[in-house]
Amino acid sequence: MNSLPLADLEAFAAVAEVRSFRRAASLRAVSASSLSEAVRRLEARLETRLLNRTTRSVTPTEAGQRLLERVAPMLGEISGALDQVRSSDESPAGSLRLNVPTFVAREIIPAIAAAFLKEFPGVTLEIEAKDSFVDVFAEGFDAGIRYDESLDLDMIAVPLGPRQQRFAAAASPDYLKARGVPAHPRDLLHHSCIRHKFDSGRISNWEFERDAEIVRITPNGPLVANTIDMELRAALAGVGILSTFEDLLRTHLESGALVEVLRDWQQPFSGPYLYYPSRRHMPAPLRAFVDFVKGRRLDA
């Protein structure tokens, strides 16, 4: 048998790892049809089906899984070696597209982006802030930033930003004087709550936890908004109780413009992660950004 083309093996591994021709094509900046043809050539040479294809899914066959386990590390070593040679001669250049939650875009990414772009002036960083859970790779992004409860298990995740955060519920002193201070999360059902609407149209419930007791409520209130600026201004004006990231409220809590309620019911949670599906075929700007983020964590 003639030697197998490296490009066809790379195409197969890319599709098998993310289990999608469309997603793999987006990551490699090629057409899905070219990847499909490469996999067909490989299967014809091996006289073995490597991928099971349906209209809804792509999964490796038993033979395909064995091949993937053997070749993926080898392809990774080759890609890493080539990247090392390239990086020794030139600084990364090109565009890097990130999909991030609005809170991260507002409070965490700006300082990181400024320092990164100063170190890598050849990179153009494009950030799209969205709270909806989209397939960021199918949408053409190089990587995403999310919290661990919404990360797929097959993603590579790198900690980014503060490692602990918490939510806080707060209202203006005038509101609490007029309506009273809630002593239990269920008391919020009788209060005016300022609710956040996500891009998908979903309005999230509020969750509280204390001493292993978890309380989830569906708040009611006169205002529903999709921007934290409007929600925060409404809370300051006495419209109702707002629940959001503590970091967004801290200045107003310290000044007394807002008063936190139910503090002992708000538990910390893990900070955000930069995530991407594979270390192989990583564009140079993304590899530089991943290494940069890792370096900041080491320096923290």
Side-chain angles (χ1 to χ4, degrees), residues 92-291:
S95 63
L96 172 61
R97 300 188 69 220
L98 301 179
N99 180 282
V100 308
T102 54
F103 168 79
V104 174
R106 173 175 172 155
E107 299 293 322
I108 297 176
I109 277 292
I112 295 174
F116 173 75
L117 293 173
K118 184 177 181 180
E119 185 169 335
F120 299 98
V123 175
T124 299
L125 185 59
E126 180 181 339
I127 296 172
E128 183 168 323
K130 273 194 174 182
D131 290 322
S132 56
F133 298 111
V134 300
D135 186 336
V136 298
F137 307 109
E139 295 290 330
F141 293 94
D142 297 296
I145 297 174
R146 285 292 181 269
Y147 288 84
D148 56 4
E149 72 273 10
S150 56
L151 286 176
D152 293 334
L153 294 178
D154 59 348
M155 292 293 119
I156 299 170
V158 178
L160 175 144
R163 295 326 308 142
Q164 273 204 338
Q165 294 180 267
R166 64 185 294 274
F167 283 113
S172 71
D174 288 343
Y175 174 87
L176 295 175
K177 182 178 180 180
R179 299 289 299 273
V181 178
H184 189 279
R186 293 190 187 91
D187 294 342
L188 294 173
L189 296 174
H190 307 292
H191 278 266
S192 297
C193 296
I194 300 168
R195 296 172 290 168
H196 182 78
K197 186 175 183 179
F198 292 96
D199 296 333
S200 63
R202 181 175 65 91
I203 300 175
S204 62
N205 294 333
W206 291 4
E207 182 175 298
F208 300 86
E209 180 180 353
R210 185 179 69 180
D211 299 331
E213 179 186 3
I214 298 177
V215 179
R216 297 182 181 90
I217 68 164
T218 302
N220 297 302
L223 178 65
V224 178
N226 67 347
T227 66
I228 185 58
D229 290 326
M230 180 179 293
E231 296 160 19
L232 185 54
R233 287 178 180 273
L236 291 167
V239 172
I241 297 176
L242 171 63
S243 178
T244 188
F245 289 93
E246 180 186 33
D247 294 333
L248 295 175
L249 304 177
R250 181 169 287 112
T251 299
H252 302 292
L253 293 173
E254 291 174 350
S255 71
L258 292 176
V259 177
E260 185 173 2
V261 298
L262 302 171
R263 181 175 177 81
D264 56 342
W265 283 90
Q266 300 281 14
Q267 305 302 316
F269 54 87
S270 297
Y273 293 83
L274 172 73
Y275 72 100
Y276 51 97
S278 173
R279 289 189 175 89
R280 294 191 310 102
H281 312 304
M282 190 185 297
L286 175 57
R287 184 177 295 279
F289 189 71
V290 170
D291 292 340

Side-chain angles (χ1 to χ4, degrees), residues 65-116:
Q65 186 62 37
R66 289 199 306 268
L67 179 62
L68 179 64
E69 291 171 356
R70 293 291 300 275
V71 303
M74 302 176 192
L75 293 172
E77 288 295 324
I78 294 172
S79 178
L82 294 175
D83 285 344
Q84 190 174 34
V85 171
R86 283 193 294 266
S87 64
S88 65
D89 295 329
E90 58 185 28
S91 178
S95 63
L96 172 61
R97 300 188 69 220
L98 301 179
N99 180 282
V100 308
T102 54
F103 168 79
V104 174
R106 173 175 172 155
E107 299 293 322
I108 297 176
I109 277 292
I112 295 174
F116 173 75

